[in-house]
C-alpha cells in the first residue's frame, strides 16, 4: 500500500477501521462502509483514503497515518475478544508526531466511558449515579442503593450491552434478580455470585451504578453530534433491560431523522447550547478536540411541570459511531475541514 505523503496541496485524512490483511488490500473509498463520509470529505476539498487496522500489521498502519494530516477512527472498545490497547498506543504516538486524531484516545477516556455518567451527574441530564473503584466498595454500597429501587450496573468500557445489568432486590428473599442487557431472561443470584461475575470489570477500570429509569420501555433517543453541533437523531424502542413482554414486542430498528426534527427541537437546543459546553468544561476538553462524530443516548426522565419530557443520559458513544443519519457525513466533513484548517 502506498504510504507516501500526499503530493496534493489538499488536506488529507485516513479513515481507520478494524479488518484483516485481505480487507486492507481490497477496501477502497468506493466499497467502504464509510463511502458517504469519503464523498462528503471530497466535497469540501479533503483527500481521504481507508486505513484498515489489525495488530498484526500495526507498523504498516502507523506509516500510513504519518503520511496524512488527520485520521478518523471507527474501532469498538471491545470486539471479538480484542480491546484497543495496542491501537490507542499507536494513535497517541502519531498524534504526538503531529497527526490530528479523532477521537483521540485521551478524549475517549474522558467522555466515551461509562464514568461520564458519574462525572456529569450534577448536570441536568444527570441521575443518581455512583462509582465503584473496586469490588469491595461495590459489595459495601450496592445493597443500600438497591433498597431504594432497581439499579443498572455498567462496566466502564464496553459496547453492545456487554457488562450492563439491571439489578433489583427481591421482596421476600436474600437473593437479587439480575438481567444481563444481552439476554432475554433474568436470573436470581446471591449478591456474592453477582459480584463474582463483575470481578473482571475491575481489572482494567471501574464500575458505574445508575438508578434504573422506569420509562426505558418508551424508547431511547440518540443525539448525534459532530463536534459541538447536532448532526441528527435516532429513536428506537429497546429490548435491553426491558422485562415486559408487551414492551419488548414493540422493540424495533432505530429510526433516523435530521437535526431539524421538530420532535427533538428542545433536545438539540440543550445539547448545543447547554450540555456540550458544560461537558467540555467539566471534563477539561478543548472544544476543537471534540470528536468529529459522537452520540449521546438519552432515556426519558420524569415529565416536567409544563408537560415536557426530561432526558437522562444513559451513555456517550465515541469510539465507533455507525450507522448515523443521512445528514451526518456532511456535518462530519465540515467539522473535519474546520479542524484541519486550524492545524495546517
Amino acid at each position: 500500500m502506498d504510504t507516501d505523503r500526499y503530493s496534493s496541496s489538499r488536506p488529507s485524512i485516513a479513515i481507520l477501521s478494524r479488518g484483516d490483511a485481505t480487507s486492507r488490500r481490497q477496501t477502497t473509498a468506493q466499497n467502504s462502509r464509510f463511502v458517504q463520509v469519503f464523498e462528503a470529505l471530497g466535497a469540501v476539498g479533503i483527500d481521504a483514503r481507508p486505513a484498515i487496522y489489525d495488530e498484526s500489521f500495526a507498523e504498516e498502519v502507523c506509516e500510513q497515518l504519518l503520511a496524512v494530516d488527520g485520521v478518523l477512527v471507527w474501532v469498538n472498545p471491545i470486539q471479538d475478544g480484542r480491546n484497543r490497547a495496542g491501537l490507542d498506543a499507536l494513535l497517541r504516538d502519531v498524534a504526538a508526531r503531529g497527526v490530528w486524531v479523532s477521537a483521540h484516545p485521551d478524549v475517549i477516556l474522558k467522555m466515551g466511558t461509562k464514568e461520564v455518567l458519574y462525572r456529569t451527574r450534577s448536570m441536568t441530564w444527570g441521575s443518581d449515579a455512583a462509582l465503584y473503584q473496586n469490588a469491595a466498595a461495590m459489595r459495601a454500597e450496592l445493597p443500600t442503593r438497591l433498597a431504594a429501587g432497581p439499579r443498572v450496573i455498567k462496566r466502564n468500557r464496553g459496547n453492545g450491552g456487554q457488562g450492563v445489568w439491571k439489578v433489583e432486590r427481591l421482596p421476600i428473599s436474600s437473593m437479587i434478580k439480575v438481567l444481563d442487557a444481552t439476554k432475554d431472561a433474568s436470573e436470581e443470584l446471591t449478591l456474592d455470585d453477582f459480584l463474582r461475575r463483575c470481578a473482571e470489570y475491575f481489572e482494567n477500570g471501574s464500575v458505574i451504578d445508575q438508578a434504573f429509569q422506569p420509562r426505558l420501555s418508551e424508547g431511547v433517543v440518540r443525539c448525534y453530534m459532530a463536534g459541538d453541533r447536532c448532526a441528527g437523531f435516532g429513536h428506537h424502542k429497546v429490548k435491553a433491560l426491558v422485562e415486559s413482554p408487551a414492551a419488548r414486542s414493540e422493540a424495533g430498528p432505530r429510526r433516523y431523522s435530521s437535526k431539524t426534527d421538530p420532535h427533538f427541537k428542545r433536545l438539540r437546543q440543550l445539547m448545543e447550547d447547554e450540555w456540550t459546553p458544560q461537558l467540555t468544561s467539566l471534563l477539561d476538553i478543548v472544544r476543537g478536540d471534540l470528536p468529529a462524530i459522537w452520540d449521546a443516548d438519552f432515556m426519558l426522565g420524569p415529565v416536567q411541570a409544563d408537560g415536557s419530557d426530561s432526558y437522562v443520559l444513559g451513555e456517550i458513544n465515541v469510539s465507533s459511531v455507525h450507522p448515523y443519519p443521512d445528514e451526518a457525513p456532511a456535518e462530519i466533513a465540515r467539522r473535519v475541514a474546520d479542524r484541519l484548517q486550524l492545524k495546517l
Side-chain angles (χ1 to χ4, degrees):
M1 175 167 293
D2 178 17
T3 57
D4 292 336
R5 180 168 290 277
Y6 286 93
S7 59
S8 169
S9 61
R10 288 153 54 106
S12 55
I13 282 285
I15 294 182
L16 186 148
S17 58
R18 187 179 279 283
D20 58 19
T22 299
S23 61
R24 180 165 174 81
R25 289 192 302 269
Q26 297 179 353
T27 299
T28 67
Q30 291 72 36
N31 66 22
S32 166
R33 65 188 176 116
F34 304 108
V35 59
Q36 292 177 311
V37 179
F38 281 106
E39 291 172 348
L41 290 167
V44 297
I46 297 173
D47 288 327
R49 61 172 63 178
I52 303 302
Y53 169 83
D54 185 80
E55 287 80 359
S56 63
F57 44 79
E59 290 186 7
E60 182 180 341
V61 178
C62 183
E63 290 180 10
Q64 181 183 4
L65 299 187
L66 290 173
V68 296
D69 299 306
V71 53
L72 301 178
V73 184
W74 272 273
V75 176
N76 285 321
I78 300 173
Q79 184 174 325
D80 301 326
R82 294 172 293 183
N83 60 35
R84 285 185 42 142
L87 174 60
D88 286 347
L90 183 155
L91 293 173
R92 287 189 174 97
D93 178 41
V94 299
R97 296 162 73 175
V99 178
W100 174 63
V101 175
S102 184
H104 191 287
D106 294 345
V107 174
I108 293 176
L109 289 176
K110 288 182 178 181
M111 63 182 287
T113 68
K114 303 300 188 299
E115 191 171 327
V116 73
L117 301 176
Y118 178 76
R119 298 186 65 186
T120 66
R121 66 194 185 282
S122 62
M123 291 171 51
T124 54
W125 74 16
S127 61
D128 173 13
L131 174 69
Y132 303 133
Q133 296 284 12
N134 52 61
M138 186 172 168
R139 179 67 180 83
E141 300 173 30
L142 180 57
T144 300
R145 294 192 172 92
L146 285 174
R151 311 290 297 185
V152 177
I153 299 299
K154 303 179 179 183
R155 69 183 299 169
N156 196 31
R157 299 197 74 171
N159 52 279
Q162 299 175 81
V164 177
W165 305 78
K166 179 184 178 184
V167 184
E168 55 189 315
R169 192 173 68 169
L170 293 169
I172 54 173
S173 171
S174 60
M175 308 280 276
I176 58 174
K177 184 168 75 168
V178 302
L179 176 60
D180 182 336
T182 66
K183 303 292 179 58
D184 294 334
S186 59
E187 304 173 72
E188 294 184 6
L189 302 172
T190 66
L191 178 59
D192 287 337
D193 283 340
F194 178 62
L195 289 172
R196 278 191 283 273
R197 292 193 183 184
C198 297
E200 66 176 290
Y201 305 161
F202 294 104
E203 293 175 4
N204 297 298
S206 56
V207 167
I208 301 300
D209 174 351
Q210 182 181 32
F212 177 77
Q213 300 301 314
R215 298 183 67 189
L216 176 63
S217 61
E218 296 180 48
V220 173
V221 180
R222 175 167 288 184
C223 180
Y224 294 87
M225 300 291 291
D228 60 357
R229 298 292 94 186
C230 180
F233 296 95
H235 176 266
H236 73 306
K237 292 192 174 183
V238 299
K239 286 185 178 181
L241 304 187
V242 174
E243 296 184 80
S244 163
R248 288 175 60 85
S249 69
E250 295 177 353
R254 185 177 290 112
R255 299 187 181 277
Y256 298 96
S257 58
S258 75
K259 63 183 180 182
T260 60
D261 188 333
H263 293 95
F264 305 120
K265 178 180 178 180
R266 179 170 168 271
L267 179 56
R268 176 185 175 185
Q269 291 174 333
L270 286 168
M271 280 297 292
E272 291 187 341
D273 301 337
E274 180 179 333
W275 288 339
T276 300
Q278 290 177 1
L279 175 73
T280 56
S281 177
L282 278 172
L283 303 186
D284 191 26
I285 298 173
V286 177
R287 175 181 167 184
D289 289 342
L290 283 168
I293 183 68
W294 57 285
D295 69 61
D297 280 352
F298 293 99
M299 300 162 287
L300 297 177
V303 176
Q304 301 183 109
D306 63 0
S308 63
D309 288 318
S310 61
Y311 297 96
V312 177
L313 181 68
E315 67 176 346
I316 290 177
N317 300 294
V318 175
S319 301
S320 187
V321 178
H322 187 273
Y324 30 65
D326 290 340
E327 296 80 6
E331 295 287 348
I332 294 170
R334 280 192 281 270
R335 300 291 83 76
V336 171
D338 290 345
R339 186 61 180 79
L340 290 185
Q341 187 174 19
L342 293 175
K343 175 183 181 294
L344 298 176

